[in-house]
């Protein structure tokens, strides 16, 4: 499943192919994604793409008088291809931009293609999203203040997109390891120092993943075939029973809210 780093790498890869280009055509082969693709998108031809931004795991294509909202769901990928490239079975949506096209492939159809001409930040899917983890808005003071009212385990707090957006299961485990914080520690029991280490760890973890993706996903533009979500070397994620890379003790796995959490009992207190 594409996480925030994959979406950010996709955004960076797509930006030079979209920005400033005029939409010359739209193709909807199967509108039945997570929500039906609205008919409005068929009328996008003639608009110029101003920029492409990201909010959480949503990509926002700014068309001046409105935004195309894209989400990759569980299995979606976006690629830039020459116009006229034959569509395959799961290629549900194309945005044609003159001499290139943006194509959404989504075998499981949990992705989304939506349109809004209202203020995009107020869109029902976006309005409740929490702080962007890579923005200056996520800082230790803010995290300390936000966690005060929550008895939930810090791991689950981090994965709640209404607090901080886009820190999924993998990155929550990894960031807590880097910060030396036990995943079951109650959010409101984090000290100011914990919040400082955790804020830093979240940013470092996500940035490292984006860097890794930037090198391994370079070929998503123009390439054919699988989406190729990037593989990384994790500290604890998916390493239950293996030796901690820092102290050598065995990494443990526990379930928190039906999700697997990985941690080192020695390095994380
Ligand atoms: Zn350890």
């Amino acid at each position: 499943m594409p996480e925030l780093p994959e979406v950010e790498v996709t955004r960076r890869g797509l930006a030079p192919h979209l920005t400033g280009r005029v939409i010359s055509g739209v193709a909807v082969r199967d509108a039945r994604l997570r929500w039906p693709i609205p008919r409005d998108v068929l009328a996008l031809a003639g608009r110029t793409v101003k920029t492409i931004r990201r909010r959480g795991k949503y990509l926002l294509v700014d068309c001046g008088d409105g935004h195309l909202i894209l989400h990759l769901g569980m299995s979606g990928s976006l690629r830039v291809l020459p116009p006229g490239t034959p569509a395959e079975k799961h290629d549900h949506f194309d945005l044609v931009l003159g001499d290139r096209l943006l194509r959404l492939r989504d075998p499981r159809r949990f992705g989304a293609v939506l349109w809004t001409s209202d203020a995009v930040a107020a869109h029902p899917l976006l309005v409740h999203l929490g702080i962007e983890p890579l923005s200056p808005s996520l800082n230790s003071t803010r995290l300390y203040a936000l966690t005060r009212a929550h008895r939930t385990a810090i791991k689950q707090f981090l994965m709640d997109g209404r607090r901080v957006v886009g820190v999924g299961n993998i990155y929550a485990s990894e960031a807590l390891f880097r910060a030396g914080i036990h995943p079951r520690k109650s959010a409101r029991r984090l000290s100011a120092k914990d919040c400082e280490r955790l804020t830093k760890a979240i940013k470092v973890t996500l940035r490292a993943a984006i860097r890794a993706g930037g090198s391994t996903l370079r070929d998503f533009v123009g390439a054919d075939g699988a989406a190729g979500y990037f593989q990384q070397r994790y500290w604890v994620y998916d390493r239950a029973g293996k030796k901690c890379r820092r102290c050598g003790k065995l990494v443990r796995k526990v379930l928190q809210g039906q999700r697997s959490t990985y941690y080192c009992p020695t390095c994380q207190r």
Side-chain angles (χ1 to χ4, degrees):
M1 176 156 82
E3 297 286 346
L4 186 148
E6 278 95 348
V7 179
E8 177 59 21
V9 168
T10 300
R11 186 195 70 78
R12 292 180 188 185
L14 296 182
H17 296 278
L18 266 64
T19 309
R21 284 207 163 72
V22 177
I23 298 168
S24 51
V26 179
V28 176
R29 281 179 217 91
D30 191 342
R32 298 168 302 160
L33 298 185
R34 180 156 184 193
W35 299 280
I37 300 178
R39 303 196 130 266
D40 311 31
V41 303
L42 294 170
L44 284 179
R47 285 180 173 80
T48 302
V49 175
K50 307 279 182 231
T51 182
I52 172 167
R53 294 192 300 274
R54 180 187 57 74
R55 179 78 174 101
K57 296 206 288 184
Y58 293 93
L59 289 169
L60 311 174
V61 181
D62 184 345
C63 297
D65 62 346
H67 287 81
L68 194 60
I69 303 174
L70 305 172
H71 196 282
L72 299 176
M74 309 283 286
S75 60
S77 62
L78 287 162
R79 283 162 311 141
V80 176
L81 299 162
T85 305
E88 290 179 29
K89 191 177 173 196
H90 304 293
D91 295 340
H92 306 308
F93 174 78
D94 288 350
L95 200 63
V96 189
L97 304 119
D99 63 354
R100 61 202 71 193
L101 68 81
L102 174 66
R103 175 164 287 170
L104 173 71
R105 172 172 293 179
D106 187 1
R108 297 184 62 185
R109 290 193 282 111
F110 280 103
V113 176
L114 298 167
W115 170 259
T116 181
S117 48
D118 298 329
V120 70
H123 190 277
L125 290 171
L126 304 180
V127 71
H128 299 296
L129 295 183
I131 308 173
E132 279 294 329
L134 291 172
S135 80
S137 311
L138 181 69
N139 55 58
S140 51
T141 317
R142 188 89 183 272
L143 186 65
Y144 186 76
L146 275 177
T147 46
R148 293 311 88 187
H150 297 278
R151 291 167 193 273
T152 43
I154 184 61
K155 162 83 175 348
Q156 280 156 295
F157 175 92
L158 286 182
M159 288 182 60
D160 183 344
R162 293 168 301 176
R163 318 284 172 220
V164 182
V165 75
V167 183
N169 201 35
I170 298 173
Y171 301 108
S173 283
E174 291 290 291
L176 286 167
F177 175 84
R178 280 186 202 253
I181 296 170
H182 197 287
R184 279 186 168 146
K185 187 166 184 169
S186 165
R188 68 174 187 175
R189 288 191 52 239
L190 260 62
S191 67
K193 274 263 177 283
D194 286 338
C195 289
E196 204 176 308
R197 286 200 316 278
L198 184 53
T199 304
K200 210 172 280 176
I202 292 168
K203 292 176 194 276
V204 166
T205 304
L206 291 173
R207 285 197 185 115
I210 291 168
R211 260 201 313 280
S215 50
T216 60
L217 261 196
R218 242 195 310 257
D219 65 342
F220 83 100
V221 173
D224 206 31
Y229 302 132
F230 35 92
Q231 288 298 310
Q232 296 160 73
R233 189 171 183 269
Y234 298 120
W235 286 100
V236 286
Y237 180 77
D238 206 21
R239 297 194 66 245
K242 295 187 178 147
K243 285 185 177 170
C244 169
R245 298 192 199 277
R246 191 171 282 159
C247 75
K249 286 269 167 27
L250 301 186
V251 171
R252 285 189 193 161
K253 176 172 123 169
V254 290
L255 281 181
Q256 286 183 290
Q258 337 305 334
R259 306 297 301 273
S260 299
T261 298
Y262 301 86
Y263 72 101
C264 170
T266 313
C267 295
Q268 293 173 257
R269 297 285 175 172

